[in-house]
Amino acid sequence: MNGASAAVVLPSVLRVGLVGIAGLAAVVVVVLGALFAGDGRPGGTDARVWAVVDGVVPPRRDVALGLDFLGEPVGAAVLVLVAVVGCLLLRWPRAAVFVGVGVGAAVGVARLLKFLVGRTIHGDNLSFPSGHTAFLTAFALVAALLVAGRLGLGRAAGLVLVFGAGLVAGAAMGWAQVVLDAHYPTDALGGWCTALAVVPVVAWGVDRVGGSGW
């Protein structure tokens, strides 16, 4: 791998596949947002999922609390800081920028959507989409993209790695938010799809702005 290709955060072999995934994810977010706009009740799918996961007790609840902490300001800041420092130690400043901007953009879009959609839980707490789920999914997607680029993975292996990492992270955090009664299951789905829609776009933008200089 030469210096120019190593600097790219969105490998060209993954671009079409990830753009397609991002487009589908954006559609899901829009549809769910329209369905639950201004609502304060669980949907049918939410009720069915809650019936399955209700009554989670230690140690599984402790695992959920640990995952939830990763989406809190302190936990999230530590994860991002470690990743940024790692990128800088590898002399990959573009990747460091991508970590901060990619994760920050996903969380920012999720926060904006909360106000636009206006779905609530437990009174007036805005819930759609789940910011915790968007954060951890975005972090996993960013990390997996950087690994795929550094290893020079092909299209199939790269997409499996990136989508798989995002799926595992989103499912884990989504599960935690649901069992802790912090979000409806469809909020978690919305947060996952928000990250899938945002991160590839940010990666493309970082590469465009960075050019071949860094």
Side-chain angles (χ1 to χ4, degrees):
M1 183 183 303
N2 59 39
S5 61
V8 172
V9 296
L10 180 60
S12 58
V13 295
L14 304 182
R15 195 169 298 152
V16 173
L18 289 179
V19 167
I21 291 172
L24 290 174
V27 170
V28 173
V29 172
V30 170
V31 170
L32 290 176
L35 284 174
F36 297 113
D39 202 352
R41 299 167 299 174
T45 300
D46 297 318
R48 286 190 288 272
V49 173
W50 262 340
V52 173
V53 302
D54 190 33
V56 174
V57 296
R60 284 179 292 175
R61 185 174 178 81
D62 295 331
V63 173
L65 288 170
L67 287 167
D68 179 72
F69 174 74
L70 295 179
E72 293 294 314
V74 174
V78 170
L79 278 180
V80 171
L81 180 60
V82 169
V84 168
V85 170
C87 292
L88 293 177
L89 289 175
L90 291 173
R91 298 182 180 180
W92 197 2
R94 183 180 303 194
V97 171
F98 179 42
V99 171
V101 178
V103 173
V107 173
V109 170
R111 186 179 295 265
L112 175 61
L113 286 171
K114 285 181 185 288
F115 291 98
L116 292 177
V117 174
R119 191 187 196 189
T120 57
I121 190 171
H122 306 313
D124 58 355
N125 296 308
L126 295 174
S127 67
F128 182 89
S130 164
H132 280 63
T133 307
F135 165 76
L136 196 61
T137 303
F139 183 83
L141 290 172
V142 167
L145 265 173
L146 296 180
V147 170
R150 296 294 288 193
L151 295 180
L153 297 182
R155 179 179 290 105
L159 287 176
V160 168
L161 174 63
V162 175
F163 185 76
L167 179 60
V168 171
M173 183 61 85
W175 169 81
Q177 297 307 297
V178 171
V179 301
L180 293 174
D181 202 24
H183 282 283
Y184 304 113
T186 44
D187 294 337
L189 176 60
W192 180 63
C193 287
T194 297
L196 285 174
V198 170
V199 170
V201 175
V202 173
W204 176 83
V206 169
D207 283 337
R208 291 277 293 186
V209 172
S212 59
W214 50 280

